[in-house]
Structures are given as structure tokens and as C-alpha cells.
Amino acid sequence: MSDAFARGVVLFNRRAYFESHEVWEEIWQVADERDKKFLGALIQIAAALHLRFQRGGGRGTRNLLVQALTTLEDFRPRHYGIDVDALYKELADYAERVEEKKGKEAGWLDRWLAPRIRLV
């Protein structure tokens, strides 16, 4: 795992979603195709959560999360030092929560329950 990638993970786990997205996008630009696919999923997750908490996104957030889930299936159980199984489960649960709230603004509990990236 590169230092830049690790910095993106730290930013994501600190809920600095836009900033983690920016870091991973720089890596994505020079990555090989398989890594681009994985990084693309992380970028989608970060974008979805930024949208959720900064703009109150509902449907757009859920759509990005579902797209990321579809991509992450190919990288289970672990990839790039990340416990993809754990991320997948948290993400699936969170996407369901967003769907249930249909357009309601994200509150403190939503932020607390947002997925985290766990390293292995």
C-alpha cells in the first residue's frame, strides 16, 4: 500500500470524504486496470458519502453505493490491505439505511453509522 493510498484511507476514516476522493483519484490516474477498478469503487463511496453529508443526497448517494458494491464483489475478501468483506457489509447496510430514509436529511446517527475502511 502506497503512502498516498494510506493517506486516503486515513482521510476517509476521519470522514473527510472529499479529500480522500481527491487523493485516490490522483492514484487512479496512473494505476493499472485492475487497481483502477478497485480505486474507482472507493472513489464512488467517498463521493456518495460526501454527497450525503454535504448536500443531503438520497437517491444519488444510494446509486453510487450500489455501483461500488457491485464492483467490490470482485475484490472480496481482501485487496490492497483492506478488509473488503467488512467494508462490503457495512456499505450494504448503509445503502439500505439511505434507501429507508428516502430523502430525509442525514443526521448525527447517519454520520456515526457511515462505513469505515478496516485494514488487515
Side-chain angles (χ1 to χ4, degrees):
M1 178 184 323
S2 73
D3 289 344
F5 182 80
R7 189 171 73 249
V9 170
V10 168
L11 288 166
F12 182 91
N13 285 339
R14 288 183 181 163
R15 295 176 174 88
Y17 301 117
F18 182 80
E19 293 81 357
S20 64
H21 169 282
E22 293 293 307
V23 169
W24 289 330
E25 193 168 307
E26 285 182 29
I27 300 167
W28 178 88
Q29 290 175 1
V30 297
D32 66 33
E33 285 308 307
R34 179 150 171 84
D35 287 341
K36 272 190 179 195
K37 190 175 177 185
F38 182 71
L39 288 164
L42 296 181
I43 290 166
Q44 285 179 318
I45 297 165
L49 295 174
H50 174 74
L51 177 64
R52 179 78 179 139
F53 298 121
Q54 299 304 314
R55 299 186 183 165
R59 181 181 292 171
T61 296
R62 187 185 172 284
N63 289 345
L64 284 169
L65 295 177
V66 169
Q67 289 172 16
L69 281 166
T70 301
T71 301
L72 287 178
E73 288 177 358
D74 294 338
F75 296 94
R76 295 173 86 176
R78 292 174 191 82
H79 188 73
Y80 244 51
I82 291 176
D83 184 344
V84 178
D85 276 341
L87 178 59
Y88 187 94
K89 181 178 181 344
E90 287 183 32
L91 202 55
D93 291 346
Y94 197 77
E96 204 171 291
R97 179 175 176 76
V98 170
E99 177 66 21
E100 288 171 2
K101 292 194 85 165
K102 291 193 186 198
K104 292 181 184 168
E105 201 170 304
W108 69 269
L109 186 58
D110 291 288
R111 197 172 277 278
W112 178 261
L113 294 174
R116 308 270 305 204
I117 294 176
R118 293 169 184 9
L119 303 176
V120 288

